[in-house]
Amino acid sequence: MAIGKIRVKNPIVEMDGDEMTRVMWALVKEKLLNPWLDMKLEYYDLHVKRRDETDDRVTVEAAEAVLRHGVGVKCATITPNEDRVAEYGLKKMWKSPNGTIRSMLDGTVFRKPIFAKNIRPFVSSWKRPIVIGRHAYGDVYDNSEMAVACAGTAVLMFTPAPGGAAAWQKIADFTGPGILQGIHNTDESIRNFARACFAFALDEKIDLWFSTKDTVSKVYDARFRDIFRQEYETSWKAKFDAAGIEYFFTLIDDAAARAIRSEGGFLWALKNYDGDVLSDLVAAASGSLAMMTSVLVSPKGCFEYEAAHGTVQRHYYRHLRGEETSTNSMALIFAWTGGLRKRGELDGTPDVVRFAAALERAALGTVEAGIMTGDLLAVARKSAGNRRVTTEGFIDAIGGRLRRSLVRKRAGEDRS
Ligand code: NAP
Ligand code: MG
């Protein structure tokens, strides 16, 4: 049966990438999106060679396009190290594209696991995903540190730019060798982080938890707590009440203990280091890296979706040798559905939102029917019906399921 395509009104910024994810990216577009959607894609090729040829200008242009259009979808990309410079003959070790895009969008990254009925989290009480919102600025990632070799005094000092007396206080009297570290953050960055978290929780209609160690860090961590509270009371409380969701602040150790005993289903906002550690813990405890999506939310009102995993290099080399691969495209597919849903919401086109939901149901339905890639087979509930499929076989199975659901729906509409 021929079916008319769904029109996506405004452009989506498409950022292509590297290795196995680039292979899957093309398959997902060819088999799951193009047959059904009439999309305007503004395409940027972030393949590592293309970044090299353009002296990384293409990454900057892609980020500018996301700022312009509001919605982007990104494939995984190689962050060059010495091996990659040699492998691809690069001019230099270009910076991480994600880092470049994140700093241009000034965003917060939210990581959300995809749950399937037959892939149970290792934490048995978790019934819904825990989303991690990690502050991606400052603290120990932008520190200044030194080792001291002998006895002496360390001080913390601030010199005001407009002039006036410097403020200082003692950190410690050393009686022998030791170490020292200075870290910082800014009110503006913390406020943007808070806004991104409140907006995300409201968008997803889930509770927001925030936790710091403010009992010990009475100035630094307490500032985070106070900015979140001010932001909540002035701009979000009424909206949260109307949506029936809660903002909850507690100590980081209390939050960690509660999270393990919880049913999940909330956004957990975390400072940079806490988010680094706990997002990996939540990802691993939720099942598989290939079932984790990621969205960068900018205070400038734009959204960039991607899979949380990398380019799956080892599978790509197998693919290049002509061997069969069984690489999981779930997180890539959910990056596209995330972008399409957001585009549809911003454009006021509910049929695009419904298509995104239908594709997600088809993808989850495939896994829940036992048709899965190798990574999932290893962690899925054992069942005689479970079957391992290839990279392409998995996408084809999802495509078949999607087609059946869309044709059924269209036939229903024709009859009514
Ligand atoms: P990776 O691509 O995430 O893969 C690590 C391992 O996890 C794989 O070897 C595979 O395990 C498993 N895995 C990850 N995704 C999978 C999927 N979709 N299906 C099945 N298994 C999957 O990390 P990496 O190998 O450390 O990094 C490769 C490249 O990705 C690097 O150049 C790095 O710079 C880049 N990277 C990019 C991003 C990004 O763009 N967002 C993020 C991280 C890394 P098995 O081999 O055991 O099957
Ligand atoms: Mg980490």
Side-chain angles (χ1 to χ4, degrees):
M1 180 193 287
I3 290 188
K5 290 191 182 185
I6 299 163
R7 201 170 86 82
V8 182
K9 196 161 143 202
N10 283 303
I12 292 178
V13 179
E14 173 189 6
M15 288 160 274
D16 209 342
D18 290 301
E19 300 196 313
M20 202 60 205
T21 40
R22 188 182 181 94
V23 174
M24 295 194 289
W25 190 261
L27 289 171
V28 166
K29 279 182 65 187
E30 177 202 328
K31 292 168 184 269
L32 304 179
L33 305 175
N34 290 344
W36 309 105
L37 299 174
D38 172 13
M39 295 188 275
K40 286 195 260 328
L41 295 172
E42 196 165 311
Y43 180 83
Y44 292 86
D45 189 357
L46 302 194
H47 187 280
V48 68
K49 279 300 276 181
R50 184 77 193 126
R51 281 180 269 145
D52 195 54
E53 280 159 25
T54 62
D55 293 335
D56 213 17
R57 228 182 27 253
V58 65
T59 309
V60 173
E61 284 166 4
E64 284 167 354
V66 177
L67 285 169
R68 212 164 42 242
H69 296 299
V71 180
V73 184
K74 182 180 167 290
C75 182
T77 45
I78 290 171
T79 297
N81 56 16
E82 276 163 23
D83 293 344
R84 300 306 204 147
V85 170
E87 181 180 359
Y88 287 91
L90 306 177
K91 291 180 210 157
K92 60 180 253 196
M93 222 187 294
W94 301 106
K95 280 194 298 191
S96 148
N98 284 19
T100 302
I101 295 169
R102 192 152 58 221
S103 70
M104 286 181 66
L105 268 56
D106 186 16
T108 301
V109 174
F110 296 94
R111 280 178 141 208
K112 179 179 180 183
I114 305 162
F115 272 28
K117 289 199 190 90
N118 49 347
I119 317 275
R120 293 305 314 152
F122 292 102
V123 179
S124 56
S125 61
W126 291 356
K127 296 195 169 56
R128 290 183 300 279
I130 294 176
V131 185
I132 300 282
R134 170 183 169 189
H135 186 209
Y137 177 82
D139 298 357
V140 45
Y141 301 86
D142 202 8
N143 68 2
S144 170
E145 53 182 21
M146 65 165 90
V148 292
C150 58
T153 301
V155 296
L156 191 62
M157 188 169 87
F158 176 74
T159 314
W168 67 274
Q169 71 188 51
K170 188 163 78 182
I171 298 173
D173 285 321
F174 285 84
T175 53
I179 43 179
L180 269 168
Q181 166 169 259
I183 60 170
H184 82 285
N185 227 297
T186 68
D187 287 4
E188 189 192 4
S189 176
I190 299 168
R191 184 157 288 114
N192 283 340
F193 171 50
R195 285 183 182 147
C197 291
F198 285 114
F200 186 93
L202 188 65
D203 202 38
E204 298 262 325
K205 303 216 171 22
I206 52 178
D207 291 344
L208 170 60
W209 295 19
F210 182 46
S211 49
T212 68
K213 193 73 183 178
D214 61 319
T215 46
V216 169
S217 173
K218 290 183 166 48
V219 174
Y220 198 104
D221 278 23
R223 179 66 65 92
F224 279 81
R225 177 200 63 208
D226 293 346
I227 289 177
F228 265 72
R229 188 199 297 142
Q230 268 167 19
E231 195 47 42
Y232 176 62
E233 268 154 21
T234 54
S235 308
W236 302 92
K237 188 172 185 318
K239 294 176 195 155
F240 269 48
D241 288 346
I245 55 175
E246 269 185 16
Y247 169 60
F248 170 60
F249 176 85
T250 187
L251 265 182
I252 177 88
D253 29 7
D254 178 47
R258 284 172 189 257
I260 292 292
R261 292 192 310 264
S262 77
E263 292 192 352
F266 57 91
L267 166 62
W268 192 1
L270 290 160
K271 287 175 58 202
N272 212 346
Y273 176 80
D274 301 335
D276 184 350
V277 178
L278 290 170
S279 65
D280 285 331
L281 183 132
V282 168
S286 298
S288 160
L289 190 58
M291 297 288 273
M292 180 68 81
T293 57
S294 171
V295 55
L296 175 65
V297 179
S298 158
K300 298 169 178 131
C302 29
F303 301 80
E304 186 227 17
Y305 296 82
E306 67 167 347
H309 60 76
T311 61
V312 214
Q313 183 181 9
R314 296 204 312 165
H315 294 213
Y316 181 60
Y317 291 160
R318 253 178 261 152
H319 168 80
L320 286 182
R321 289 195 298 269
E323 293 167 25
E324 195 183 271
T325 56
S326 182
T327 316
N328 188 343
S329 48
M330 282 295 268
L332 278 189
I333 293 169
F334 273 67
W336 274 104
T337 56
L340 285 164
R341 177 179 290 111
K342 180 55 71 184
R343 184 74 279 167
E345 285 169 6
L346 295 174
D347 294 349
T349 49
D351 49 345
V352 175
V353 176
R354 279 196 294 271
F355 173 83
L359 177 49
E360 288 181 357
R361 273 197 307 275
L364 274 175
T366 302
V367 170
E368 288 174 354
I371 301 168
M372 47 185 110
T373 44
D375 58 310
L376 292 185
L377 205 61
V379 293
R381 196 155 49 210
K382 299 288 166 263
S383 155
N386 285 357
R387 186 153 64 82
R388 181 183 191 275
V389 286
T390 61
T391 306
E392 194 164 356
F394 184 61
I395 294 171
D396 282 334
I398 296 171
R401 197 170 266 271
L402 177 66
R403 171 168 294 277
R404 286 192 295 281
S405 89
L406 294 177
V407 169
R408 208 166 38 235
K409 183 170 157 292
R410 209 58 72 94
E413 280 165 7
D414 288 349
R415 269 198 305 278
S416 59

